[in-house]
Amino acid sequence: MSALILDGKALSLESEADLTQRVAAIKEQNNGQAPILATILVGADPASATYVKMKQNACKRIGMESIAVEMPSTTSTRELLAKIDELNINPNCHGILLQHPVPSQIDERACFDQIDIAKDVDGVTCHGFGRMAMDEEAYGSATPQGIMRILEAYDIDLIGKHAVVVGRSPILGKPMSLMLLNGHATVTICHSRTQNLPDLIKQADVIVGAVGRPEFIQAEWIKDGAVVIDAGYHPGGVGDIELGPLVDRVAAYTPVPGGVGPMTINTLIQQSVIAAEKSL
Ligand code: NAP
């Protein structure tokens, strides 16, 4: 059996074509005013700087603009909260991305939660999380929302399926689990204190790897015919799941790179366009 490749890159390009038209329509109806995403980068972490650049480039490709806010690594919580307040009331800013992680002296949760719910296009606030969990309208956390869009685009049936999510971070594992639950899967959430991880993973019809450790989830733990979603990306082009031996025996998988990553960025810009459509 040759597995279906869940091609996030191709889906993101299709979506960008649609978003480009929507941005053009927004500009036409608003005297040339483009949707604007504010990106906040605190500190000098090179990986974070690269992610922010990729998000700004994605904005450019669809005709959106971005406000690039860069703050030093010595920034305090109070200073970051003040910057977020400023963007919250700026009518020319339609969405706010605070790049995770921020330096350790900053209360990241407080800063995420300061983002106006109408501008929370990366889906990081407790308010947005709660609404999403209750299946109310909300901007989903970008990575898990991007994964849900991949599953939907490829007609992956979740109803009654056993989904196992490895990882419970606020921006990935936790919202992922709730989204799959809302999609009527039966969900098991695993984390660093979980016992018998391989046995739990062996039961998965859908497995999501969101651990942050290269190829931590071994191919032999995954059953034939499973749907494999790998959110990880590490140097050397590997994810959190050992994908190599799986490609001939699972039903479908997200490649690394080219699976979850492009749809994370695409979801951020899609939600920014929606926020601009609502506000303009
Ligand atoms: P994180 O905040 O470090 O969370 C990692 C999670 O894995 C935690 O919940 C942790 O459990 C769990 N974990 C750690 N060791 C484990 C073990 N031995 N067994 C079971 N669970 C274990 O990471 P994250 O931000 O969620 O990111 C996860 C992965 O996704 C990373 O590879 C990251 O690069 C990737 N990612 C990709 C994108 C994208 O755009 N493609 C975006 C974000 C993240 P505890 O809660 O118990 O500590």
Side-chain angles (χ1 to χ4, degrees), residues 40-42 45 48 75-78 80-81 84 96-115 120 122-126 141 169-172:
I40 310 177
L41 175 63
V42 188
D45 174 52
S48 292
T75 302
S76 66
T77 300
R78 215 154 56 103
L80 184 50
L81 289 173
I84 292 168
I96 299 172
L97 163 83
L98 171 58
Q99 184 63 40
H100 160 85
V102 293
S104 57
Q105 78 277 9
I106 295 177
D107 181 344
E108 183 178 81
R109 175 46 46 205
C111 293
F112 276 156
D113 284 336
Q114 195 76 1
I115 297 172
D120 179 23
D122 204 27
V124 294
T125 61
C126 285
S141 178
S169 71
I171 58 161
L172 216 178

Side-chain angles (χ1 to χ4, degrees), residues 143 167-169 172 191-192 210-213 216 231-232 234 240 261 264:
T143 302
R168 56 169 170 182
S169 71
L172 216 178
H191 47 81
S192 64
V211 200
R213 295 170 66 173
F216 171 78
H234 306 279
D240 290 352
T264 296

Side-chain angles (χ1 to χ4, degrees), residues 46-148:
S48 292
T50 303
Y51 288 134
V52 168
K53 191 90 217 145
M54 287 164 77
K55 291 164 186 176
Q56 291 165 343
N57 288 342
C59 288
K60 240 183 245 161
R61 285 198 299 275
I62 62 162
M64 271 181 63
E65 290 171 20
S66 51
I67 302 171
V69 177
E70 291 184 12
M71 303 179 81
S73 51
T74 52
T75 302
S76 66
T77 300
R78 215 154 56 103
E79 288 164 331
L80 184 50
L81 289 173
K83 177 53 75 180
I84 292 168
D85 281 341
E86 196 184 302
L87 293 166
N88 279 341
I89 58 167
N90 179 349
N92 291 324
C93 162
H94 306 104
I96 299 172
L97 163 83
L98 171 58
Q99 184 63 40
H100 160 85
V102 293
S104 57
Q105 78 277 9
I106 295 177
D107 181 344
E108 183 178 81
R109 175 46 46 205
C111 293
F112 276 156
D113 284 336
Q114 195 76 1
I115 297 172
D116 185 328
I117 183 100
K119 299 189 181 188
D120 179 23
V121 291
D122 204 27
V124 294
T125 61
C126 285
H127 188 177
F129 178 90
R131 289 187 59 82
M132 177 280 291
M134 293 299 165
D135 222 356
E136 296 292 328
E137 193 181 318
Y139 298 119
S141 178
T143 302
Q145 187 68 48
I147 291 171
M148 292 306 285

Side-chain angles (χ1 to χ4, degrees), residues 193-250:
R193 270 86 143 191
T194 294
Q195 294 179 5
N196 305 322
L197 184 66
D199 290 344
L200 292 167
I201 291 175
K202 276 177 192 155
Q203 297 171 28
D205 301 311
V206 178
I207 166 81
V208 180
V211 200
R213 295 170 66 173
E215 296 196 328
F216 171 78
I217 297 170
Q218 294 175 28
E220 64 179 29
W221 301 348
I222 295 174
K223 72 177 180 188
D224 290 357
V227 172
V228 177
I229 306 293
D230 193 340
Y233 180 66
H234 306 279
V238 297
D240 290 352
I241 300 178
E242 187 194 10
L243 283 176
L246 291 174
V247 297
D248 292 326
R249 64 175 188 81
V250 294

